[in-house]
Amino acid sequence: MKPLNLAPIYFDNNATTRVLPEVLKAMLPWFSEQYGNASSSNQMGQLAKEALMAARAAVAKFLNASPAEIVFTSGATEANHMAILGTLATNPLRRRLVTSTVEHPSTLRLLDYLATTGIEIIKISVNAKGELDMAALAEAVNENTALLTLMHANNETGVLFPIAEAAAIAKNQAAAFHTDAAQSAGKIALDVRQLGCDLLSFSGHKLHAAKGVGALFVRKGFMLQALIHGHQERNRRGGTENQAGIVGLGVACQLAQTHIALHGEQISILRDRLQNGILARISFAKLNSTAINVPNTSNICFSGLHGEELLYRLDKAGLIASLGSACTAGGTEPSHVLLAMGLNREDALSSIRFSLSRETTETEVELAIETVVNVVTEMTAALAVVA
Ligand code: PMP
């Protein structure tokens, strides 16, 4: 594939983020200079081990956890699997699992599979703003519930679920509580004690670390069966560690934590400017949710326009965003999240997700507004001609 010849304006940070220069710099020596195995007792191995310890401490601090509570994984997908399967395995007498209808596919696909094995899966619905039905949740979590698993922030809309409240509901029934924080980590401050979770997943590449690395927080004293057996990670996750990836994750967490309040405020100002700019100039555009959300995400419906074509034209004009729906072998399916919020298929397929990062600039936001307005005007003019 040919490289892009123009620097794109990147508004797809919920899909993945750029590895920061500081993160890359910290990672590089671990590939070709200090390439020891942290399990080796030789000097090089010991250096690698020390670097893992430093990264573990940084990740723990980022979550207000202790280092022993951090298990490095290949990302949030694996961490979600470890949390869900590990909890079910340690709690064979409880066969119910409660979740929401709008979880990430890395959870929902696993739960679909678990349903075929006899686990009772209860999915709690959301309202038109994407907010969770807390009364239904409280009713669904019972004495047969092994685990309540809920995402912290939604990847498509950015909507935040009230995690501490949900964790209290689980605790009331002595059920375990897991949150998938892949889309909140690095965007808002996280504190596992305040959230009250037993387990929390996140992925490095959503907060400017590399792809293929992430972590699961496992509360001290919480019993969790391993998914991958081996001596690493205190017998909780076997396999030689992703040394460079983990070192980079530590640095990314440190950087995120240092500036999180300031960055959050800056990003939300730019996000609001982007969405207000688009809404002010395209009369039929509307926000898909106005609920409390992370500062960087905006999901906008351009009713009547073909979202895939809109995205393609934006892409050609140098603006990278996302459709918020899954491409399947059979074509593009509308987003399960937007359908769960009550949008019809057409509106769901006309919706575009814009996701910013702390690298997004004011100039990029202004350019993005112009690009969206131009492309949408072209498309509506073409539709008018056809009609
Ligand atoms: N959960 C959520 C909410 C996500 O947004 C993602 C990534 N899109 C994942 C889990 C999975 O992360 P990864 O692909 O890095 O394993």
Side-chain angles (χ1 to χ4, degrees):
M1 203 173 155
K2 277 201 310 195
L4 287 173
N5 53 10
L6 69 171
I9 314 174
Y10 187 74
F11 281 84
D12 199 15
N13 287 283
N14 283 9
T16 197
T17 58
R18 187 172 86 100
V19 172
L20 288 172
E22 299 92 318
V23 173
L24 183 63
K25 190 169 171 227
M27 289 174 68
L28 283 176
W30 301 99
F31 288 110
S32 55
E33 291 159 30
Q34 297 165 8
Y35 48 87
N37 185 326
S39 295
S40 302
S41 52
N42 56 46
Q43 276 183 57
M44 282 169 75
Q46 291 312 295
L47 264 181
K49 191 174 166 187
E50 278 166 27
L52 290 185
M53 278 168 63
R56 198 181 303 283
V59 172
K61 188 159 177 248
F62 176 65
L63 300 174
N64 191 28
S66 64
E69 294 176 312
I70 304 301
V71 181
F72 290 118
T73 67
S74 63
T77 302
E78 183 190 326
N80 288 346
H81 277 62
M82 194 187 280
I84 294 167
L85 293 170
T87 303
L88 286 172
T90 42
N91 210 342
L93 294 178
R94 290 181 172 224
R95 296 291 83 182
R96 175 180 279 203
L97 199 149
V98 181
T99 188
S100 82
T101 51
V102 296
E103 296 299 306
H104 187 263
S106 59
T107 295
L108 288 180
R109 294 287 292 270
L110 171 61
L111 300 189
D112 286 347
Y113 161 71
L114 286 173
T116 70
T117 70
I119 302 292
E120 185 191 13
I121 308 292
I122 310 282
K123 294 180 190 161
I124 306 301
S125 57
V126 296
N127 65 15
K129 288 163 86 180
E131 294 161 334
L132 198 61
D133 182 342
M134 293 304 283
L137 181 73
E139 228 167 88
V141 179
N142 63 9
E143 67 289 345
N144 193 33
T145 305
L147 177 69
L148 169 58
T149 177
L150 290 173
M151 65 199 326
H152 191 192
N154 188 277
N155 47 305
E156 295 189 26
T157 59
V159 172
L160 283 161
F161 281 165
I163 291 304
E165 217 180 300
I169 290 172
K171 203 169 177 192
N172 235 349
Q173 296 292 341
F177 182 77
H178 165 245
T179 187
D180 171 356
Q183 292 293 348
S184 57
K187 294 172 186 158
I188 56 170
L190 292 183
D191 180 330
V192 287
R193 311 289 171 218
Q194 266 175 21
L195 292 172
C197 50
D198 298 305
L199 302 155
L200 177 147
S201 315
F202 75 99
S203 219
H205 69 106
K206 311 284 187 188
L207 69 153
H208 302 282
K211 295 168 186 64
V213 67
L216 179 69
F217 156 80
V218 183
R219 184 178 52 73
K220 188 168 184 270
F222 186 83
M223 294 296 293
L224 191 73
Q225 175 70 54
L227 190 63
I228 303 174
H229 296 265
H231 72 268
Q232 290 89 354
E233 300 294 302
R234 299 176 173 224
N235 300 316
R236 293 176 296 183
R237 201 272 192 179
T240 302
E241 297 84 354
N242 174 357
Q243 179 78 28
I246 292 170
V247 168
L249 182 65
V251 175
C253 286
Q254 249 167 5
L255 291 170
Q257 188 168 28
T258 312
H259 303 295
I260 205 149
L262 179 68
H263 283 149
E265 201 178 316
Q266 282 168 355
I267 295 170
S268 76
I269 291 171
L270 291 179
R271 188 268 316 268
D272 291 352
R273 182 180 293 200
L274 175 75
Q275 64 190 29
N276 292 339
I278 292 174
L279 298 183
R281 292 178 58 191
I282 302 170
S283 60
F284 60 90
K286 59 176 187 291
L287 279 186
N288 279 328
S289 175
T290 52
I292 295 173
N293 59 12
V294 282
N296 81 318
T297 309
S298 187
N299 195 310
I300 301 181
C301 177
F302 297 90
S303 257
L305 295 187
H306 191 264
E308 215 169 354
E309 187 187 340
L310 174 53
L311 198 70
Y312 174 75
R313 285 177 181 244
L314 292 175
D315 208 311
K316 268 185 47 181
L319 173 59
I320 310 244
S322 157
L323 199 53
S325 55
C327 293
T328 63
T332 305
E333 281 298 314
S335 142
H336 70 287
V337 176
L338 299 179
L339 292 182
M341 290 163 62
L343 269 75
N344 60 35
R345 277 181 70 88
E346 289 67 35
D347 277 354
L349 286 168
S350 299
S351 294
I352 303 280
R353 176 186 75 186
F354 300 93
S355 46
L356 290 69
S357 82
R358 63 184 194 257
E359 299 204 298
T360 307
T361 64
E362 217 173 298
T363 313
E364 286 178 324
V365 168
E366 296 306 331
L367 262 168
I369 297 170
E370 285 310 314
T371 309
V372 171
V373 170
N374 290 342
V375 168
V376 167
T377 309
E378 260 171 45
M379 284 177 75
T380 42
L383 281 177
V385 170
V386 171

